[in-house]
Amino acid sequence: MSDTQQNAAGPGPGAADVEELLPEAKSYSANQIVLRRFLRHRGAIVAMVVMAAVIVVSFTSIGIGSIPGWWDKDIATAYDKIGDGGPTWEHPFGQDTIGKDYFALTMRGTQISLYIAFGVGIISTLIGTLIGAIAGYFRGIVDSLLMRLTDVVIIIPLLAIAAVLGRMTEGSLNLLILALGALVWTSLARLVRGEVLSLRERDFVMAARAVGTSPGRIIVRHILPNTVGVITVSATLTIATAILLETGLSFLGFGVQKPDVSLGSLISEYQGAFLTRPWLFWWPGLMILAIALSVNFIGDGLRDAFDPRQTSTKE
C-alpha cells in the first residue's frame, strides 16, 4: 500500500491503542512477573490471609512481654471454673483443669511455636545457603567434604537427635532454635549447590572471575541473587517442618518446658482429656494445622511463581 493510500485510509493504531487492545503485550520486570503469578495462586493468597490473622490475633490478644493486649485474661491466673470448664462466652476456648483461660494459653502457645518455627527457618536457611554455595562454587575436595557432612546429618534420625539436643537446651528457647536450625538445612544445601554449579559456568560469573573479583564477592553479588527463588521456597517449607518438629518434641517432653507453653506442649499435657474435654486438645491442634497448611500453601504459591514449569493452577 502506498503512502497516499495509507493517509487516505486514516492513521494506523498508535502504541497506546496497541496496549489497550493487547494488555498482555505490556512488558513487566522479572519481579513483577513473579508477583503476578503469585497473586494468581488462590490457595497461597487465602493461606497468607489465614497466616496473617493467626499472627495478628496471637500477638495482639494477650500482648508481648510488658505490652498488654486486648484480651482481659492472662495465662497465669486460675479463674473460677464454669461447669466442667467447657467453652463459654467468658472463656470461648474453655478452661483447663485448674481454671486457667484456655484462649490465653493457646495464644501464648501460638506465639512460642511461631517464634520457634520462624527462628529455625531463618537459621537453617543461612546454614543451608552457606554450605550449598561454598560446595557448588569451589567443587573438588571442598564439595566432597561438605556433601559428606550433609549426608551424615541426613541419615541421623531427625526426631531422635532433636530430642537429645532439646534435652540439652534445658528449656532455653534460643538454644532450642539453634539446635533445630542445625538439623533441617540439608535439603536447602543440596538445592543451592545444584543451582550454584549451574550458575558458576555462566558468562557473567566467568567475566567477574576474569577481572579478579574475589570468590566471596562473586557468590554474594552475582550467584546468590539468582538463587533467591529456590532459597525462598525452601525457607518457607522449612518453617512448616520446624513447627511440626517442635510440636513432636514438646509432645514427647523434650521441647518447650514449663512454666512456658507451646502448642505441642498443650497437646501433650491434655492428650488424656481427648474424650472427656476435647476442647483442650482440639484448639491447639487446629492452630498447628492452620499454620502448617498455610505455610505449605504459601510455599506452593512461591514455587509456582518462581518456576512456571511447575505451575499446578490455571492462570
Side-chain angles (χ1 to χ4, degrees):
M1 183 182 293
S2 65
D3 294 340
T4 304
Q5 289 174 318
Q6 282 185 338
N7 292 334
D17 299 322
V18 172
E19 286 193 355
E20 182 178 352
L21 294 173
L22 299 173
E24 65 275 17
K26 296 180 181 179
S27 61
Y28 297 95
S29 68
N31 291 335
Q32 288 176 323
I33 293 174
V34 170
L35 179 61
R36 283 165 60 85
R37 289 183 188 140
F38 180 77
L39 293 177
R40 292 194 186 115
H41 197 292
R42 297 179 182 176
I45 299 303
V46 172
M48 285 191 67
V49 173
V50 172
M51 176 61 75
V54 168
I55 293 173
V56 170
V57 172
S58 63
F59 282 92
T60 62
S61 58
I62 61 173
I64 309 171
S66 60
I67 303 175
W70 48 263
W71 189 243
D72 61 350
K73 298 176 179 61
D74 56 56
I75 64 173
T77 305
Y79 302 91
D80 294 334
K81 287 190 70 173
I82 302 175
D84 61 351
T88 61
W89 285 110
E90 186 175 354
H91 302 280
F93 280 21
Q95 296 172 272
D96 70 358
T97 54
I98 62 175
K100 291 183 179 181
D101 181 70
Y102 209 58
F103 176 81
L105 287 172
T106 303
M107 292 302 102
R108 177 59 179 172
T110 303
Q111 288 182 2
I112 297 299
S113 293
L114 286 172
Y115 175 63
I116 292 174
F118 281 93
V120 171
I122 292 171
I123 291 174
S124 64
T125 298
L126 293 175
I127 296 175
T129 301
L130 179 63
I131 291 179
I134 293 175
Y137 184 82
F138 291 102
R139 299 192 301 185
I141 188 171
V142 174
D143 183 20
S144 298
L145 289 175
L146 291 178
M147 287 301 100
R148 297 299 75 75
L149 171 64
T150 303
D151 293 338
V152 169
V153 177
I154 289 176
I155 63 175
I156 297 175
L158 181 60
L159 193 58
I161 190 65
V164 173
L165 293 176
R167 178 56 63 99
M168 292 172 61
T169 61
E170 297 181 349
S172 171
L173 279 182
N174 293 329
L175 290 178
L176 179 62
I177 290 172
L178 286 173
L180 297 182
L183 295 175
V184 295
W185 51 268
T186 52
S187 297
L188 177 58
R190 288 182 172 275
L191 291 172
V192 171
R193 172 183 175 271
E195 291 290 313
V196 173
L197 282 172
S198 173
L199 290 169
R200 75 183 304 275
E201 305 301 332
R202 299 287 183 87
D203 291 341
F204 64 91
V205 175
M206 296 178 69
R209 204 164 20 211
V211 298
T213 306
S214 66
R217 186 176 179 85
I218 291 175
I219 292 173
V220 174
R221 295 293 300 274
H222 299 285
I223 294 181
L224 287 183
N226 289 285
T227 65
V228 65
V230 170
I231 294 173
T232 302
V233 174
S234 181
T236 306
L237 299 179
T238 300
I239 293 174
T241 301
I243 197 168
L244 295 177
L245 181 58
E246 182 278 325
T247 299
L249 287 178
S250 296
F251 183 80
L252 296 173
F254 299 112
V256 177
Q257 304 295 320
K258 292 183 177 181
D260 220 334
V261 296
S262 70
L263 295 175
S265 66
L266 287 175
I267 291 177
S268 175
E269 184 172 357
Y270 298 112
Q271 58 179 309
F274 179 75
L275 295 177
T276 57
R277 290 168 295 169
W279 60 87
L280 297 178
F281 184 90
W282 280 111
W283 287 119
L286 289 174
M287 294 301 293
I288 292 172
L289 185 65
I291 295 171
L293 286 179
S294 296
V295 173
N296 274 301
F297 273 111
I298 293 171
D300 286 344
L302 289 172
R303 180 201 62 198
D304 293 347
F306 281 108
D307 188 359
R309 293 172 300 177
Q310 299 187 37
T311 302
S312 58
T313 57
K314 294 182 179 180
E315 297 188 1

